[in-house]
């Protein structure tokens, strides 16, 4: 009976912690990302609606010219697309994406007010609410921007190509038909580098034609590099999903999760108790063949050494809520516990002792709690046997 009271008390404590965790998640990264995505989509739809509707609404009715309203509708569509991109980056917890979202949401509020439409003011209200959530969850976005060398090169190449084409076309504007301002020069560069070529801005001298050839070569090459830098990670993401492993970008999206280190006899039972979106399973290459196919289990698996500090850092040990160490080797588990404790002194670690006599060793290694399946099984057997007395 004493054991039953202890179990009931633990269940009560667990429910309280679950309630606190739900509140934490409510004000967490996912809510901010969801609201930002909603504002982005509404901004796009509202901008399109304003472009096709001359009706005004609100305190600024009659004070804003129709041309300004339509311009605000056009820019709202662009802002919405940029905000949608920022919301995708917010999922990774990057601080740069947080700053971009805050700036774009502020612009969205201004655009919605200028639009003076019956559908724009709800967007402004939702944008203000989303800004409040982002401010409250600012500490959930602390990951530094980590661009690959290819991505940096793609950004520099596209920017340089656009600058080269715009400045060159404006300098040679006398040699072009339809290029008179910087906007015309920028427009010419875009349609030329993208190989669209509407024909409303054309070279009329040999020097201008040679310059156009250079813009086509430089522009297509830079845009091709940029597309490759964006598409390659997406292909990698698809492949890793099919193979049951996780990319760094997927790992970066995990927040407040549970790290399950190692694969053993208890692992499947542990995974059954955890939500797929709430864990990361870290297994070595030797354990990977034991796992069921990812298509059947849809597990977030990260193939790496559970005792490697760098691997744990990539798995999000700094953002994890807890760590469960439960392989079939107590020696490996002890080393994993030591590694986790070194990187996160404050995290809760629960370990499983294959041999009951190794439980004190795992506790000395840094585990907050050590569970011995053999000892628990024995107690349960005795409790069940004496239940009828």
């Amino acid at each position: 009976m004493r054991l039953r009271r202890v179990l009931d008390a633990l269940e009560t404590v667990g429910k309280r912690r679950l309630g606190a965790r739900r509140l934490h998640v409510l004000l967490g990264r996912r809510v901010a990302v969801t609201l930002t995505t909603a504002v982005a989509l509404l901004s796009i739809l509202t901008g399109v609606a304003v472009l096709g509707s001359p009706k005004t609404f609100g305190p600024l009715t009659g004070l804003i010219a129709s041309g300004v309203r339509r311009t605000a509708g056009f820019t709202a569509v662009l802002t919405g697309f940029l905000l949608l991109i920022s919301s995708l980056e917010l999922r990774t917890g990057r601080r740069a994406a947080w700053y971009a979202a805050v700036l774009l949401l502020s612009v969205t509020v201004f655009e919605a007010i200028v639009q003076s439409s019956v559908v724009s003011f709800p967007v402004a209200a939702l944008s203000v609410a989303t800004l409040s959530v982002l401010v409250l969850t600012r500490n959930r976005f602390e990951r530094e921007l980590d661009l690959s060398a290819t991505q940096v090169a793609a950004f520099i190449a596209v920017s340089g190509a656009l600058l080269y084409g715009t400045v060159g076309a404006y300098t040679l504007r006398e040699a072009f038909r339809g290029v008179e301002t910087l906007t015309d020069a920028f427009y010419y560069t875009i349609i030329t580098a993208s190989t669209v070529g509407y024909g409303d801005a054309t070279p009329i001298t040999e020097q201008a034609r040679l310059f156009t050839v250079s813009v086509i070569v430089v522009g297509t090459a830079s845009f091709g590099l940029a597309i490759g830098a964006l598409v390659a990670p997406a292909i990698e993401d698809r492949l890793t999903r099919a193979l049951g492993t996780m990319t760094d970008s997927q790992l970066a999206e995990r927040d407040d999760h549970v790290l399950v280190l190692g694969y053993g006899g208890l692992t499947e039972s542990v995974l059954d108790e955890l939500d797929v979106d709430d864990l990361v399973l870290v297994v070595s290459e030797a354990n990977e063949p034991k796992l069921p196919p990812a298509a059947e289990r849809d597990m977030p698996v990260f193939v790496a050494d559970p005792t490697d500090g760098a691997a744990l850092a990539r798995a999000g040990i700094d953002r994890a809520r807890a760590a469960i160490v439960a392989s079939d080797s107590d020696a490996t588990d002890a080393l994993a516990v030591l590694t986790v404790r070194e990187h996160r002194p404050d995290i809760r670690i629960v370990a499983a002792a294959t041999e009951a006599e190794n439980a004190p060793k795992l506790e000395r290694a840094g585990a907050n709690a050590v569970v011995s399946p053999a000892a628990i099984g024995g107690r349960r057997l005795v409790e069940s046997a004496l239940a009828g007395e």
Side-chain angles (χ1 to χ4, degrees), residues 240-264:
T240 51
R241 283 183 183 273
L243 297 174
T245 57
M246 302 185 72
T247 63
D248 285 341
S249 60
Q250 291 172 323
L251 290 169
E253 295 175 6
R254 295 283 166 164
D255 184 45
D256 202 38
H257 56 289
V258 176
L259 285 179
V260 181
L261 306 181
Y263 188 88

Short mmCIF file of all heavy atoms in Angstrom, two decimals, residues 240-264:
data_model
loop_
_atom_site.label_atom_id
_atom_site.label_comp_id
_atom_site.label_asym_id
_atom_site.label_seq_id
_atom_site.Cartn_x
_atom_site.Cartn_y
_atom_site.Cartn_z
N THR A 240 17.26 12.62 -46.09
CA THR A 240 17.45 12.24 -44.70
C THR A 240 16.15 11.78 -44.06
O THR A 240 16.14 10.91 -43.20
CB THR A 240 18.01 13.42 -43.89
OG1 THR A 240 17.20 14.58 -44.11
CG2 THR A 240 19.44 13.74 -44.31
N ARG A 241 15.02 12.36 -44.50
CA ARG A 241 13.73 11.89 -43.98
C ARG A 241 13.48 10.45 -44.43
O ARG A 241 12.96 9.63 -43.66
CB ARG A 241 12.61 12.81 -44.47
CG ARG A 241 12.52 14.12 -43.73
CD ARG A 241 11.34 14.93 -44.24
NE ARG A 241 11.27 16.24 -43.58
CZ ARG A 241 10.66 16.46 -42.45
NH1 ARG A 241 10.06 15.47 -41.82
NH2 ARG A 241 10.64 17.67 -41.93
N ALA A 242 13.83 10.16 -45.69
CA ALA A 242 13.61 8.80 -46.20
C ALA A 242 14.49 7.79 -45.49
O ALA A 242 14.10 6.63 -45.29
CB ALA A 242 13.88 8.77 -47.70
N LEU A 243 15.69 8.21 -45.08
CA LEU A 243 16.62 7.30 -44.42
C LEU A 243 16.44 7.27 -42.91
O LEU A 243 17.09 6.50 -42.22
CB LEU A 243 18.07 7.72 -44.74
CG LEU A 243 18.47 7.63 -46.22
CD1 LEU A 243 19.85 8.21 -46.43
CD2 LEU A 243 18.40 6.19 -46.71
N GLY A 244 15.56 8.11 -42.39
CA GLY A 244 15.29 8.09 -40.95
C GLY A 244 16.28 8.87 -40.12
O GLY A 244 16.42 8.63 -38.93
N THR A 245 17.02 9.78 -40.72
CA THR A 245 17.96 10.59 -39.95
C THR A 245 17.51 12.05 -40.03
O THR A 245 16.58 12.40 -40.75
CB THR A 245 19.38 10.46 -40.52
OG1 THR A 245 19.38 10.83 -41.90
CG2 THR A 245 19.87 9.02 -40.40
N MET A 246 18.17 12.91 -39.29
CA MET A 246 17.76 14.31 -39.21
C MET A 246 18.91 15.20 -39.65
O MET A 246 20.08 14.94 -39.34
CB MET A 246 17.35 14.68 -37.78
CG MET A 246 16.22 13.85 -37.22
SD MET A 246 15.71 14.44 -35.59
CE MET A 246 14.88 15.97 -36.01
N THR A 247 18.58 16.29 -40.35
CA THR A 247 19.57 17.28 -40.73
C THR A 247 19.76 18.29 -39.61
O THR A 247 18.98 18.33 -38.65
CB THR A 247 19.12 18.02 -42.00
OG1 THR A 247 17.91 18.73 -41.72
CG2 THR A 247 18.87 17.05 -43.14
N ASP A 248 20.78 19.11 -39.74
CA ASP A 248 21.03 20.14 -38.73
C ASP A 248 19.86 21.12 -38.64
O ASP A 248 19.52 21.60 -37.55
CB ASP A 248 22.32 20.90 -39.06
CG ASP A 248 23.56 20.07 -38.74
OD1 ASP A 248 23.43 19.10 -37.98
OD2 ASP A 248 24.63 20.39 -39.28
N SER A 249 19.25 21.45 -39.79
CA SER A 249 18.12 22.38 -39.76
C SER A 249 16.92 21.77 -39.03
O SER A 249 16.21 22.46 -38.30
CB SER A 249 17.72 22.77 -41.19
OG SER A 249 17.34 21.62 -41.93
N GLN A 250 16.70 20.47 -39.21
CA GLN A 250 15.61 19.81 -38.50
C GLN A 250 15.90 19.75 -37.00
O GLN A 250 14.99 19.95 -36.18
CB GLN A 250 15.40 18.39 -39.04
CG GLN A 250 14.83 18.35 -40.45
CD GLN A 250 14.82 16.95 -41.01
OE1 GLN A 250 15.72 16.15 -40.78
NE2 GLN A 250 13.77 16.64 -41.76
N LEU A 251 17.15 19.48 -36.66
CA LEU A 251 17.51 19.43 -35.25
C LEU A 251 17.36 20.81 -34.61
O LEU A 251 16.97 20.92 -33.44
CB LEU A 251 18.96 18.93 -35.10
CG LEU A 251 19.19 17.45 -35.42
CD1 LEU A 251 20.68 17.16 -35.49
CD2 LEU A 251 18.53 16.56 -34.37
N ALA A 252 17.68 21.85 -35.38
CA ALA A 252 17.57 23.20 -34.84
C ALA A 252 16.13 23.59 -34.53
O ALA A 252 15.88 24.47 -33.70
CB ALA A 252 18.17 24.21 -35.83
N GLU A 253 15.17 22.93 -35.19
CA GLU A 253 13.76 23.23 -34.95
C GLU A 253 13.27 22.64 -33.62
O GLU A 253 12.23 23.05 -33.11
CB GLU A 253 12.90 22.68 -36.09
CG GLU A 253 13.18 23.35 -37.43
CD GLU A 253 12.40 22.71 -38.54
OE1 GLU A 253 11.57 21.81 -38.24
OE2 GLU A 253 12.61 23.08 -39.71
N ARG A 254 13.99 21.66 -33.09
CA ARG A 254 13.56 21.01 -31.85
C ARG A 254 13.81 21.94 -30.67
O ARG A 254 14.87 22.55 -30.54
CB ARG A 254 14.34 19.70 -31.65
CG ARG A 254 14.04 18.67 -32.72
CD ARG A 254 12.70 18.02 -32.47
NE ARG A 254 12.25 17.28 -33.64
CZ ARG A 254 11.29 16.39 -33.63
NH1 ARG A 254 10.65 16.13 -32.50
NH2 ARG A 254 10.92 15.78 -34.72
N ASP A 255 12.81 22.02 -29.81
CA ASP A 255 12.91 22.89 -28.65
C ASP A 255 12.12 22.27 -27.51
O ASP A 255 11.01 21.75 -27.71
CB ASP A 255 12.35 24.27 -29.00
CG ASP A 255 12.51 25.25 -27.85
OD1 ASP A 255 13.61 25.29 -27.26
OD2 ASP A 255 11.54 25.96 -27.54
N ASP A 256 12.68 22.29 -26.31
CA ASP A 256 12.03 21.74 -25.13
C ASP A 256 11.73 20.26 -25.33
O ASP A 256 10.70 19.74 -24.90
CB ASP A 256 10.74 22.51 -24.83
CG ASP A 256 10.30 22.35 -23.39
OD1 ASP A 256 11.18 22.34 -22.51
OD2 ASP A 256 9.09 22.23 -23.14
N HIS A 257 12.64 19.55 -25.99
CA HIS A 257 12.44 18.14 -26.31
C HIS A 257 13.16 17.25 -25.31
O HIS A 257 13.85 17.72 -24.40
CB HIS A 257 12.94 17.86 -27.72
CG HIS A 257 14.38 18.25 -27.93
ND1 HIS A 257 14.79 19.57 -27.99
CD2 HIS A 257 15.50 17.51 -28.07
CE1 HIS A 257 16.09 19.62 -28.18
NE2 HIS A 257 16.57 18.38 -28.22
N VAL A 258 13.00 15.95 -25.47
CA VAL A 258 13.67 14.95 -24.64
C VAL A 258 14.67 14.20 -25.50
O VAL A 258 14.32 13.68 -26.57
CB VAL A 258 12.65 13.96 -24.03
CG1 VAL A 258 13.38 12.88 -23.24
CG2 VAL A 258 11.66 14.68 -23.14
N LEU A 259 15.91 14.15 -25.05
CA LEU A 259 16.94 13.38 -25.74
C LEU A 259 16.93 11.95 -25.22
O LEU A 259 17.06 11.72 -24.01
CB LEU A 259 18.32 13.99 -25.53
CG LEU A 259 18.65 15.27 -26.30
CD1 LEU A 259 20.05 15.74 -25.94
CD2 LEU A 259 18.55 15.05 -27.79
N VAL A 260 16.75 11.00 -26.10
CA VAL A 260 16.82 9.58 -25.76
C VAL A 260 18.14 9.07 -26.32
O VAL A 260 18.31 8.97 -27.54
CB VAL A 260 15.63 8.79 -26.34
CG1 VAL A 260 15.73 7.33 -25.94
CG2 VAL A 260 14.32 9.39 -25.86
N LEU A 261 19.08 8.78 -25.44
CA LEU A 261 20.44 8.44 -25.85
C LEU A 261 20.66 6.94 -25.81
O LEU A 261 20.50 6.30 -24.77
CB LEU A 261 21.45 9.15 -24.94
CG LEU A 261 21.28 10.68 -24.81
CD1 LEU A 261 22.35 11.25 -23.89
CD2 LEU A 261 21.33 11.34 -26.17
N GLY A 262 21.03 6.41 -26.96
CA GLY A 262 21.30 4.97 -27.04
C GLY A 262 20.05 4.18 -27.35
O GLY A 262 18.92 4.66 -27.23
N TYR A 263 20.27 2.93 -27.77
CA TYR A 263 19.16 2.04 -28.10
C TYR A 263 19.34 0.73 -27.36
O TYR A 263 20.39 0.10 -27.44
CB TYR A 263 19.09 1.79 -29.61
CG TYR A 263 17.85 1.04 -30.04
CD1 TYR A 263 16.70 1.73 -30.35
CD2 TYR A 263 17.85 -0.35 -30.11
CE1 TYR A 263 15.55 1.06 -30.73
CE2 TYR A 263 16.70 -1.03 -30.49
CZ TYR A 263 15.56 -0.32 -30.80
OH TYR A 263 14.42 -1.00 -31.16
N GLY A 264 18.30 0.35 -26.61
CA GLY A 264 18.37 -0.89 -25.83
C GLY A 264 17.00 -1.53 -25.70
O GLY A 264 16.05 -1.18 -26.42
#
